[in-house]
Every structure is written in C-alpha cells, then in structure tokens.
Amino acid sequence: MENAGNKQFANQKRQPKNVIELEKGRIPPQAVDFEEAVLGALLIDNSAINQVIDILSPESFYKEEHQLIFKTVKELFGDSQPVDILTVANLMRKNGDLSSVGGEYYLIELSQKVSSSAHSEFHARIIVQKHIQREMIRVASTIITSAFDESTDVFDLLDQAEQDLFEVAHGNIVKNYSSAHDLIKEAISKIEEISKQEGLSGIPSGFSKVDRVTSGWQPSDLVILAARPGMGKTAFVLSMARNIAVDHKRAVAVFSLEMSSVQLITRLISSETGLTSEKLRKGNLDDHEWQQLLTKVKNLERAPLFIDDTPAISVFDLRAKCRRLVAQHDVKMIIIDYLQLMTAGGKAGGNREQEISTISRSLKSIAKELNVPVIALSQLSRAVETRGGDKRPMLSDLRESGAIEQDADIVSFIYRPEYYDITEWADGSPSEGQAEFIIAKHRNGGLDNVRLRFQGAMAKFSDLEENEGLESMVLESKMNTGSFLDEDDDPYDEQPF
C-alpha cells in the first residue's frame, strides 16, 4: 500500500510538466466588451458613426459576428441610410448574415449594453490597438516561420517584413479587393476635389504648362525624365523640388547619387537668391549680395525638403528610406538622380540590362506602395549625338533597357537646341536661353512639348511667357534691319518696289 501511495504521489508530481493548464495558454489580444459597447452605441445613436467610421474597419473586430454587424453598419452609412436595430437587421437578413450573428435578439442585446455614445471614440481606439497587436503577432509569426526556412532569401524576407510592419503601422492592412460601389464613390469624391483645385489632381510642378498636360504629378506614377549629360536634368528637378517645397509647402525627398547634398543645396541657393553658382562657389560676394543671400535663403530653410546623397544606393535601401520619409515627414514626392547609378542589391543576376529592368520595376512598386509620384532621371544613349538634324531625343534613345519605357507612366525628355549650337526652333523663333520639356509617353493623358526658360548661370528652369518667343523674334528682326518702328508706324507705308 505504501508503494502504491508513493507511486501515485510521483505521478501527481510529474503531471504539471506534461499538462498545460488552460489559464496559462495564450489568447490573441482582444477587447470584446469594448466591441459590444461600440456596436451598441452605433445602434442607438447615429452620431456615434461619425466618431468611429474613420477609425475602425470590419477587420478591426475580433469576433466574426461583430465584423459582419459593423460591415452592415458601414454599408448603410455609405448609402446615407439611417442606422438602427431595424435597418441593420433588415439588411443583414437580405445578405443572409442575420442568423450568423444570433438574430435580432443579439442586436437588441448589444443596444442594451450602453446608455449613450459618449465614449465611442475612446472605445474604438482600444479596439484598434488590440487589432494592431494581433496583426503584429501575425506578421511576427510569418517572419519566424520564413526565417527557419533555409530556402528563403534573407533580403527578400527583410524587405517583406518591413513592408508588412509599415502597413500595420499605418492601419493599411492589405485588402484582397475593393467593391465597385466603394471605388465609384471614391472616384466621384476625387473628381469633386479636383474641380475645386483648378484641374490639378496631383502634385503641382510649378510649371504652368506642364501642369496643364499632366494635371500635376499623380500618386503612384513612375515618371522618367531623360536627357543627355549637360541638358539640365538635375537643374529641372531641383527647380521643381523648390517650387513644390517652397511655394506649395509639400514635402519632397531627393536621392542624389551623383552630386553631394551640399552641392545640390548650393545650386538651390543660387536659384533662390539669384546669385550665380560661380559667385557662391568662390564666396566672392559684395555686402549687398551677402544681405541678399541671408534674406532670400530663409524660405528655403523652412521648406520641407530632404536630400540623401548615398552613392550607389540599392533598391532595398531606397525602399526602406522612402517608407520612413513618408511615415515620419509625409513626403509627397520622391526624386532619384539618377537611375543608372542605382544597384539592384544582389536581386538581379545576369547583365546590366536585366539589372536596370529590376530597378525600374522596383521604382514603380515603390510609387504604388507609398502612393506618391516617383521621378527618376535617366541617361540617354549616344545615338542622339550621332544622329543628324536637330538631335531631338526619342523613346528608342532610352539607355540600357526597354523596360524603363514599359514600366514608366510618363516618359519625358529635356531638350535644349542651344546645346548643339542650334540658334532657332523649327518655327524660326530664337532658342537662346530656352529648353523644351517633351512628354513622349503619357499613360493617362496627352502628349505635348512645353517650352521653358533656362538660366544656366543659376541652373534654374522657369515658365516661358506666352509672348516671350514672339517678342524675341520681333526684337531680332528690328536689330537686323537697323530700324525700330513705333507702335503707330506702318511698315507697308513705303513700298520698296
């Protein structure tokens, strides 16, 4: 008997090691009582919807029944219908969801959980916090599983992990689909907003004619700006970055792979102050020029402009930095100077053309993921120089890869006839101090050639007045003939024949 008792005692001692007690198990973070309180408030007070509709989504709720109820409430709200027990029950019955949540009895029970909607927003934020915790657990579990898989590429895994956490941080949980109903409402809302902004639906470039063609740089678009060296690619995007950051107060990020950040900002200072780059480089300024420098540079100091001069940056590093800039500084445009100096970061094998293809696809995916326009500068092949005529660039001149043209939403060129000692445009007007912004591909709009003023000493582009070219022609004509007519003079009064 004693041996049997000892044996039983030994079994009892071993049992806790093999049996996990229920209360020690892990349950996903949840706040069901707060979910019930919020849904109850929505059913008794329509004003509660305005407090939580921008905070919660159906996926925010832990219980599937609560997800279905909130989805129904949101659908009624979207159709401008009243929300109460009867309307929710009726729509859920039509959708075949009423029995899944426990029928009308459960809706009545929810409405009795609260007496007012006073704290609905606070309760909703607690629900969101629990949802974020659950999503972080999901992401972490996926990372752990993939990390143990020896066949997983570690850089792909790191990139995916950062993307998933970025989406969780912004509450942008990836959706599998969007209904036509929601998309049409969103599109109409956007059209109404555009009508109030004089047709600009994107980020304005600061060049009026360019904006008329593009309606501003559109979110998620990849814009390629290509030209031969010396045409002014960097000057153009710096002028545009200045217009966006200083005049429109939109945050801009510039990734310069060719020039240092100090060189870039010096060029911006030259453009902003009207002092030539040569004067700034030598520091040979008069007293009034020092005053001009210190006064006019203040607008640039306050501008939300961020410059990164990491050389040979990889696509992986670029994506990580762009995510942080968008998250921390609400950056609205990303500029890369220039594409051919980037690396694929070990993702692309084979030749340089395949690597450039990988880079261009990655830039398009960054634009789409962050929902901001990405402008990437690109070199053109030497075929432009060997070609006869006016040497205007064409799509076939894009260097190293046809994938650039394929991936880009807009392909544009900078062309300055003056660079090739061509003194006139095709229409006979003088080309001195002018450039042409050529839109050769526009996936969502028309094509056009826009003439701009170019001030080489300050590396600055600006709008060319409508009558500026005509005035130059008239002035040149007068200088050649040696006569300047008054407004009242008629050149046909005296006939030479």
Side-chain angles (χ1 to χ4, degrees), residues 218-221 326 331-334 367-368 370-374:
Q218 301 299 313
S220 79
D221 272 6
V326 169
V331 164
K332 297 297 185 184
M333 171 172 281
I334 296 165
K368 192 171 181 181
L370 301 180
N371 198 37
V372 297
V374 172

Side-chain angles (χ1 to χ4, degrees), residues 72 85-95 98 104 107:
T72 306
I85 295 174
L86 294 176
T87 56
V88 171
N90 183 55
L91 184 55
M92 294 192 78
R93 188 180 294 108
K94 285 182 179 178
N95 295 337
L98 187 59
E104 294 180 0
L107 298 179

Side-chain angles (χ1 to χ4, degrees), residues 303-318:
L305 182 63
F306 305 92
I307 299 175
D308 186 309
D309 59 359
T310 305
I313 192 171
S314 69
V315 169
F316 174 80
D317 290 334
L318 177 72

Side-chain angles (χ1 to χ4, degrees), residues 98 122 131 174 292 299 306 310 367 465 485 491:
L98 187 59
F122 178 77
H131 172 60
V174 177
Q292 181 179 340
N299 287 334
F306 305 92
T310 305
E465 298 298 330
L485 300 175

